[in-house]
Amino acid sequence: MSKCVLIVDDEEDVRAIAQMGLEMATDWNVLCASSGEEGLAIAQTNQPDVILLDMMMPDMDGRATLQQLKANPATKHIPVILVTAKAQSSQDSLSELDVAAVFAKPFRPLKLAEQIDAVLK
């Protein structure tokens, strides 16, 4: 069965590379949001199987977006994978968050589907 993945990242090139990598490797439906607010709206409407969430975003960062996702009964069940350039330094502070996994940037676009699959199993 085809999965639906929501990519929430303020950087257009990161969204494009992740989307391209997933679409080349799978038949998954890939949705994109350029902000935390947009991600919350898309998650509620489309109910994706997993959300790739950038930690460092202007206005509403990944942590605030995650808190709102988990506070909403309609989206709290959706697994969230944090994507951050600061994976090593922030691993401790991320461990208390309700996330399925933490992926480091830069990621390998063609390995992304495999990594997501491993997390969701």
Side-chain angles (χ1 to χ4, degrees):
M1 195 173 102
S2 182
K3 287 183 176 59
C4 179
V5 179
L6 171 58
I7 300 165
V8 183
D9 198 304
D10 62 311
E11 294 179 57
E12 188 177 346
D13 55 339
V14 172
R15 290 193 310 271
I17 288 168
Q19 182 173 8
M20 186 178 66
L22 291 173
E23 288 175 346
M24 287 173 66
T26 69
D27 63 347
W28 298 353
N29 181 24
V30 181
L31 306 171
C32 292
S34 60
S35 69
E37 257 178 55
E38 186 184 1
L40 292 170
I42 292 172
Q44 182 151 345
T45 306
N46 293 280
Q47 294 291 304
D49 296 297
V50 64
I51 298 171
L52 290 183
L53 178 61
D54 181 26
M55 275 303 284
M56 308 283 286
M57 294 187 292
D59 303 323
M60 183 186 287
D61 69 2
R63 190 177 291 264
T65 305
L66 177 67
Q67 287 170 337
Q68 290 204 28
L69 283 166
K70 295 302 178 184
N72 183 340
T75 56
K76 70 179 184 184
H77 67 282
I78 302 170
V80 175
I81 297 171
L82 290 181
V83 183
T84 179
K86 297 183 166 50
Q88 289 311 106
S89 63
S90 59
Q91 199 74 43
D92 296 337
S93 68
L94 297 177
S95 62
E96 78 272 5
L97 297 179
D98 184 9
V99 294
V102 178
F103 290 174
K105 277 184 182 178
F107 52 81
R108 296 185 50 202
L110 296 175
K111 294 277 185 201
L112 201 52
E114 207 176 287
Q115 291 176 297
I116 292 169
D117 250 351
V119 169
L120 295 181
K121 285 194 163 120

